[in-house]
């Protein structure tokens, strides 16, 4: 037989790459410089910055307006929280507190028990986030990778739960919690809020988008159910898990209606309720402490967002399958 | 070390359509390198995954070392798999990827380190061990995927087109490496590919599938020289064989052309096996002998062909020709195309007329009704 099919002799260690490029064969290449048309010259000039000054200025103006619309009210919240009462009402308005009055903060913290509201918020948000993320990841893992009867039906139920507005279930929840005597307790605030339809939905869809072959490789490698979750699935899922965590933290921190119904003392009520109470007490005349309370309620979320956003953006599946 | 056996094994995705793998019977010996080939969608991957335990066996059984493993989970079968996409764990370094399976069976740390070292030495992983897959080239990932399979010392290796993501040159060298590695380790291996060359060079035996049905299992040489049916004949070999329908059997000789002048040299026993007056004859490109170029034949008893296209491969050339048939000829040629291998010293141009004759005894013959090689009837 002399075809190429069955008699190809192969050196076992052929060179892996060909090394540096050699000069071209003499006579095959042209020595002159290549043509450069007007269009090519124009495109080349654009390498870094291709817009005209007019477009650029217009862009900056639009950007400035957008920023102003968002930032000016925020700026006023912050400076108002540092102003004395006469300063707040001065006409024309002042853009800088004079004199500085940080006492607003100590006033809300001590006299108005904001330290307690802050503590309650941290407890409620912390517990709810841990519970929701855990339940969300575990239930999604089950929905994605375990075959059990009625799986799809149950998943449709989960999605249906997403469609029902919270406000609809609130009356029955309230009567149940009141009967159990859970008003003004952490457990009464937390338990009805701990359902995780959204997280299950988000995480399950993410898990299903992971390369199937990696799950199969883990199965062939004899990895146990939970080891696969922690060693293989979660490490590829951090961006989604972190996004889910962030959404949960912000959502629970700002949760208003339900805590407002079941808690009305500084023993258990979270910050948004404290703010309402604060406004009731001081609101119509004394804006300084109200604004200080607002800043205190907002600041932790800003910090958490700044910490987590970088990790959220980083993709982690790079290199899993051929690339 | 293990034998593998498929016994009437089927995979039926949807009872309404034909099974993806249809009653396959196949025995693989201990230490054998078996290659599965076939056209796309013929069920190669499915067959392999049934052995690995990633695909259920809907009918029949799969046996490893004589034990029925059909209902056993993948992890309990002691089979290792190299995926086409490699499926490395992206968050782990090569070392962690390779030792993951060993950690799962709670092997002592120093044993794991030893095994990883051994695999790294065999596959020249060296400084790759502490890199993550994202920072590796395709060929490096492929070697890590191999490492992940060999550290387990499994009974069977399953490989699904492990070289298809590599460039042509790397594929050639890796092909030789894998074959050598398998021979050293002596682990029974089932290897899926759609690459002819891989199938013919790597396998102890090659198994050809079509539409989920096993066509033939044999050594590469036998498949090439004695294909079991016309499908295998056309599938194996590149460029493919020329099949001629309606070749007459006269007085125990298979003959062609005017006055039955060209004798294809059918062995006596085969001629007796023929069920009718006509058979299908297959002639490989290199079995045609070019006897002359030009309008007039220089010798009697030749077939005239018009050259349509010439492919120069450097050391040899293939001429794709259309036959110039007499009007009343009972013979038809499939695809109306005859492929002839030409020595590089013979300059052929399109539109040339060449006169060829099959070399005596180099043709294969198939039954007209069943398309099966007469030698197997
Ligand atoms: N999940 C599935 N559901 C239904 N049919 C499937 C499924 N997976 C594969 N098939 C069918 O089974 C047949 C065999 O598929 P398989 O993946 O084994 O082909 P293959 O020989 O590996 O092809 P290729 O060379 O393209 O990889 C195909 O016809 C395919 O349509
Ligand atoms: Mg396949």
């Amino acid at each position: 037989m002399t075809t190429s099919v069955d008699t190809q002799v192969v050196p076992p260690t052929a060179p892996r790459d060909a090394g540096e490029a050699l000069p071209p064969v003499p006579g095959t290449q042209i020595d002159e410089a290549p043509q450069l048309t007007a269009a090519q010259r124009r495109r080349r000039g654009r390498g870094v910055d291709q817009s005209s000054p007019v477009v650029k200025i217009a862009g900056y103006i639009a950007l400035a307006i957008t920023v102003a619309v968002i930032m000016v009210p925020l700026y006023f919240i912050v400076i108002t929280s540092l102003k004395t009462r006469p300063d707040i009402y001065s006409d024309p308005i002042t853009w800088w507190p004079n004199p500085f009055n940080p006492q607003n903060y100590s006033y809300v913290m001590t006299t108005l028990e904001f330290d307690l509201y802050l503590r309650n918020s941290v407890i409620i948000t912390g517990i709810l986030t841990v519970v929701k993320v855990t339940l969300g990841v575990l239930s999604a893992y089950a929905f994605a990778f375990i075959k059990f009867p009625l799986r799809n039906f149950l998943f449709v139920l989960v999605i249906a739960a997403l469609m029902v507005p919270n406000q609809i279930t609130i009356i029955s929840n309230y009567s149940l919690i009141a009967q159990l005597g859970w008003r003004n307790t952490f457990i009464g605030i937390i338990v009805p809020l701990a359902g995780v339809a959204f997280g299950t939905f988000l995480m399950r869809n993410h898990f299903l988008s992971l390369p199937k072959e990696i799950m199969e490789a883990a199965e062939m490698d004899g990895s146990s159910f939970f080891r696969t979750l922690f060693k293989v699935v979660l490490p590829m899922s951090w961006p989604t898990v972190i996004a889910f965590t962030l959404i949960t933290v912000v959502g629970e921190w700002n949760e208003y209606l339900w805590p407002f119904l079941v808690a009305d003392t500084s023993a258990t009520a979270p910050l948004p309720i404290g703010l309402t109470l604060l406004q009731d007490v001081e609101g119509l005349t004394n804006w300084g402490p109200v604004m200080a309370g607002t800043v205190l309620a907002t600041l932790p979320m800003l910090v958490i967002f700044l910490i987590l956003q970088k990790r959220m953006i980083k993709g982690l599946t790079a290199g899993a399958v051929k690339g | 070390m293990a034998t593998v056996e498929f016994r009437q094994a089927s995979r039926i995705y949807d009872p309404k359509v034909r099974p993806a793998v249809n009653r396959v019977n196949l025995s693989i010996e201990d230490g054998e390198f078996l290659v599965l080939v076939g056209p796309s969608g013929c069920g190669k991957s499915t067959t392999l995954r049934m052995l690995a335990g990633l695909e259920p066996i809907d009918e029949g059984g799969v046996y490893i070392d004589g034990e029925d493993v059909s209902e056993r989970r993948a992890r309990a079968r002691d089979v290792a798999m190299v995926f086409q996409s490699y499926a490395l764990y992206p968050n782990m370094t090569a070392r962690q990827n390779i030792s993951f399976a060993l950690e799962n069976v709670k092997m002592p740390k120093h044993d794991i380190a030893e095994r990883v070292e051994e695999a790294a030495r065999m596959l020249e992983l060296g400084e790759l061990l502490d890199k993550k897959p994202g920072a590796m080239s395709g060929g490096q990932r492929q070697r890590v995927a191999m490492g992940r399979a060999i550290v387990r010392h499994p009974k069977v290796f399953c490989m699904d087109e492990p070289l298809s993501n590599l460039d042509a040159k790397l594929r050639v060298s890796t092909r030789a490496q894998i074959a050598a590695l398998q021979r050293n380790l002596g682990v029974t291996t089932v290897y899926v590919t759609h690459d002819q060359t891989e199938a013919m060079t790597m396998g102890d035996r090659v198994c050809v599938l079509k539409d989920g049905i096993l066509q033939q299992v044999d050594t590469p040489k036998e498949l090439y020289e004695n294909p079991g049916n016309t499908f295998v004949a056309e599938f194996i070999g590149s460029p493919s064989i020329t099949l001629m329908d309606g070749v007459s059997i006269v007085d125990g000789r298979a003959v062609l052309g005017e006055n039955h002048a060209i004798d294809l040299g059918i062995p006596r026993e085969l001629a007796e096996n023929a069920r009718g007056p006509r058979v299908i004859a297959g002639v490989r490109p290199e079995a045609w002998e070019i006897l002359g170029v030009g309008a007039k034949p220089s010798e009697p008893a030749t077939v005239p062909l018009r050259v349509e296209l010439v492919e120069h491969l450097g050391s040899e050339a293939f001429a794709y020709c259309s036959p110039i048939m007499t009007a009343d000829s009972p013979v038809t040629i499939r695809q109306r195309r005859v492929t002839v291998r030409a020595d590089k010293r013979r300059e052929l141009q399109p539109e040339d007329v060449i006169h060829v004759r099959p070399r005596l005894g180099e043709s294969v013959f198939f039954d007209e009704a069943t398309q099966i090689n007469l030698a197997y009837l």
Side-chain angles (χ1 to χ4, degrees):
Chain A
M1 282 299 123
T2 49
T3 59
S4 61
V5 183
D6 61 348
T7 55
Q8 193 144 5
V9 181
V10 170
T13 48
R16 268 185 216 300
D17 60 27
E20 263 175 64
L22 299 172
V25 175
T28 60
Q29 304 296 306
I30 305 171
D31 273 342
E32 313 159 9
Q35 68 159 14
L36 192 57
T37 63
Q40 286 172 333
R41 208 170 290 124
R42 227 178 310 125
R43 249 176 323 188
R44 175 188 292 188
R46 276 185 205 163
V48 185
D49 192 342
Q50 43 179 300
S51 46
S52 72
V54 177
V55 173
K56 230 190 286 178
I57 289 169
Y60 276 118
I61 289 174
L63 188 67
I65 291 173
T66 315
V67 169
V69 167
I70 297 168
M71 292 309 286
V72 168
L74 286 181
Y75 175 73
F76 263 90
I77 291 173
V78 175
I79 58 156
T80 308
S81 75
L82 292 167
K83 281 177 176 175
T84 55
R85 198 147 138 195
D87 196 11
I88 293 171
Y89 286 107
S90 75
D91 189 20
I93 53 166
T94 53
W95 286 81
W96 195 246
N98 185 24
F100 254 97
N101 185 27
Q103 284 85 337
N104 282 337
Y105 284 89
S106 49
Y107 176 69
V108 289
M109 276 309 235
T110 52
T111 322
L112 297 172
E113 299 184 312
F114 245 59
D115 49 347
L116 294 184
Y117 291 119
L118 193 64
R119 179 203 68 183
N120 297 342
S121 260
V122 169
I123 292 175
I124 292 169
T125 307
I127 293 179
L128 270 175
T129 305
V130 170
V131 169
K132 278 190 146 178
V133 172
T134 312
L135 282 183
V137 167
L138 289 181
S139 60
Y141 190 52
F143 272 120
F145 299 123
I146 308 180
K147 288 209 175 76
F148 52 88
L150 294 182
R151 178 167 75 162
N152 288 339
F153 174 74
L154 288 175
F155 189 66
V156 169
L157 272 190
V158 168
I159 297 177
L162 263 181
M163 308 292 165
V164 180
N166 278 345
Q167 288 79 350
I168 289 181
T169 54
I170 224 158
I171 294 175
S172 54
N173 276 352
Y174 183 82
S175 67
L176 185 64
I177 294 297
Q179 260 174 29
L180 289 170
W182 283 0
R183 285 196 78 246
N184 280 319
T185 61
F186 284 123
I187 197 165
I189 298 176
I190 289 171
V191 168
L193 291 178
V196 281
F198 174 70
T200 306
F201 176 71
L202 184 78
M203 293 309 303
R204 171 210 181 246
N205 285 2
H206 170 74
F207 287 161
L208 288 183
S209 76
L210 294 176
K212 190 169 126 256
E213 295 192 335
I214 293 198
M215 301 304 296
E216 290 175 347
E219 163 72 19
M220 305 275 322
D221 277 348
S223 172
S224 69
F225 189 69
F226 281 104
R227 207 169 140 79
T228 308
L229 174 62
F230 288 115
K231 288 282 187 170
V232 178
V233 173
L234 280 184
M236 290 192 288
S237 309
W238 287 129
T240 316
V241 173
I242 287 170
F244 171 38
T245 308
L246 194 60
I247 292 167
T248 311
V249 169
V250 174
E252 301 312 326
W253 187 265
N254 294 335
E255 184 68 41
Y256 181 72
L257 183 58
W258 176 253
F260 179 68
L261 288 177
V262 288
D264 47 25
T265 69
S266 60
T268 53
L271 273 175
I273 317 304
L275 269 184
T276 319
L277 297 177
L278 174 64
Q279 210 175 354
D280 290 348
V281 177
E282 307 282 344
L284 297 178
T285 50
N286 195 2
W287 284 100
V290 175
M291 289 302 131
T294 309
V295 170
L296 284 178
T298 321
L299 212 55
M301 288 306 99
L302 267 182
V303 172
I304 288 188
F305 180 76
L306 289 180
I307 294 172
L308 291 186
Q309 54 101 15
K310 222 186 216 154
R311 313 225 35 198
M312 224 165 83
I313 290 158
K314 241 206 243 163
L316 284 175
T317 39
V321 291
K322 69 162 176 170
Chain B
M1 315 284 126
T3 60
V4 170
E5 191 180 352
F6 289 81
R7 215 174 283 166
Q8 296 284 83
S10 298
R11 174 75 177 108
I12 305 163
Y13 283 110
D14 177 356
K16 287 192 282 298
V17 300
R18 59 170 180 72
V21 174
N22 200 345
R23 306 213 170 159
V24 163
N25 285 291
L26 174 63
S27 297
I28 306 166
E29 275 160 41
D30 185 15
E32 187 173 358
F33 197 118
L34 184 101
V35 176
L36 286 176
V37 286
S40 187
C42 69
K44 306 180 294 286
S45 300
T46 309
T47 308
L48 189 75
R49 291 162 55 83
M50 285 161 76
L51 169 59
L54 299 173
E55 212 63 72
I57 294 146
D58 295 321
E59 259 178 39
V62 170
Y63 298 76
I64 296 178
D65 262 345
E67 253 180 282
D68 187 352
V69 295
S70 309
E71 297 305 321
R72 215 180 274 174
R73 290 185 62 176
R75 62 183 60 196
R77 292 193 188 185
D78 202 7
V79 171
M81 179 117 170
V82 178
F83 293 88
Q84 178 176 3
S85 64
Y86 313 142
L88 298 175
Y89 311 117
N91 52 300
M92 302 186 197
T93 62
R95 186 191 303 280
Q96 290 166 331
N97 262 288
I98 293 174
S99 50
F100 188 62
L102 303 180
E103 284 164 11
N104 287 334
V105 295
K106 310 236 156 45
M107 182 181 275
K109 280 239 156 46
H110 59 272
D111 289 353
I112 294 182
E114 236 168 66
R115 292 253 194 125
V116 173
E117 275 317 307
E118 181 197 354
R121 198 158 11 84
M122 274 193 263
L123 294 160
E124 298 166 38
L125 292 178
E127 70 274 29
L128 284 183
L129 277 179
D130 294 309
K131 275 194 190 175
K132 290 193 177 174
M136 295 181 200
S137 73
Q140 293 171 332
R141 284 181 209 168
Q142 199 279 333
R143 279 186 286 153
V144 174
M146 286 291 297
R148 194 167 64 173
I150 67 176
V151 276
R152 282 177 45 195
H153 297 180
K155 285 185 179 165
V156 184
F157 284 143
C158 292
M159 305 189 191
D160 193 351
E161 307 197 18
L163 305 185
S164 59
N165 289 331
L166 305 183
D167 69 60
K169 202 161 179 191
L170 193 54
R171 203 179 305 173
V172 171
S173 61
T174 314
R175 186 169 83 203
Q177 271 176 352
I178 292 181
L181 193 67
Q182 193 271 342
R183 249 136 244 175
N184 278 344
L185 297 171
V187 177
T188 315
T189 301
V190 183
Y191 185 104
V192 167
T193 182
H194 58 240
D195 183 309
Q196 290 260 337
T197 324
E198 273 174 40
M200 302 297 273
T201 54
M202 296 176 85
D204 294 321
R205 285 191 304 158
V206 176
C207 167
V208 184
L209 285 174
K210 183 186 187 238
D211 295 345
I213 299 172
L214 195 156
Q215 303 287 306
Q216 190 178 9
V217 194
D218 218 321
T219 60
K221 190 166 146 65
E222 269 302 299
L223 280 188
Y224 190 81
E225 292 180 354
N226 242 331
N229 59 25
T230 51
F231 172 77
V232 177
E234 283 193 289
F235 188 77
I236 301 287
S238 162
S240 58
I241 197 167
T242 303
L243 290 176
M244 298 180 283
D245 288 291
V247 173
S248 318
I249 301 277
V250 179
D251 304 334
R253 296 188 318 140
V255 288
L256 209 61
E258 276 171 80
N259 307 325
H260 296 156
I262 306 165
D263 187 355
L264 293 172
I266 188 170
R268 177 164 304 280
E269 338 53 282
L270 296 197
E272 282 163 8
N273 278 349
R275 290 181 187 158
R278 301 194 187 283
V279 294
I280 304 167
V283 185
R284 297 257 175 219
E286 70 278 8
W288 293 105
E289 190 178 4
I290 303 178
L291 294 162
V293 182
K296 279 262 163 259
S298 53
E299 287 190 44
T302 57
V303 180
L305 303 173
R306 175 165 289 111
V307 177
E308 287 181 343
L309 178 78
V310 184
E311 253 179 24
H312 293 282
L313 299 182
S315 63
E316 58 189 352
F318 290 98
Y320 298 90
C321 318
S322 62
I324 304 169
M325 313 276 285
T326 47
D328 57 346
S329 169
V331 175
T332 56
I333 292 179
R334 294 205 187 166
Q335 270 97 47
R336 307 205 32 74
R337 160 84 38 112
V338 178
T339 312
V340 178
R341 177 184 177 276
D343 197 79
K344 72 166 176 183
R345 287 169 202 88
R346 193 184 281 277
E347 297 283 345
L348 291 181
Q349 301 294 335
E351 292 306 314
D352 279 353
V353 173
I354 59 175
H355 301 272
V356 297
R357 188 195 297 152
R359 286 177 220 269
L360 203 67
E362 288 194 18
S363 310
V364 279
F365 301 93
F366 305 91
D367 181 59
E368 200 158 43
T370 58
Q371 311 267 314
I372 293 173
N373 189 331
L374 292 179
Y376 293 87
L377 280 176

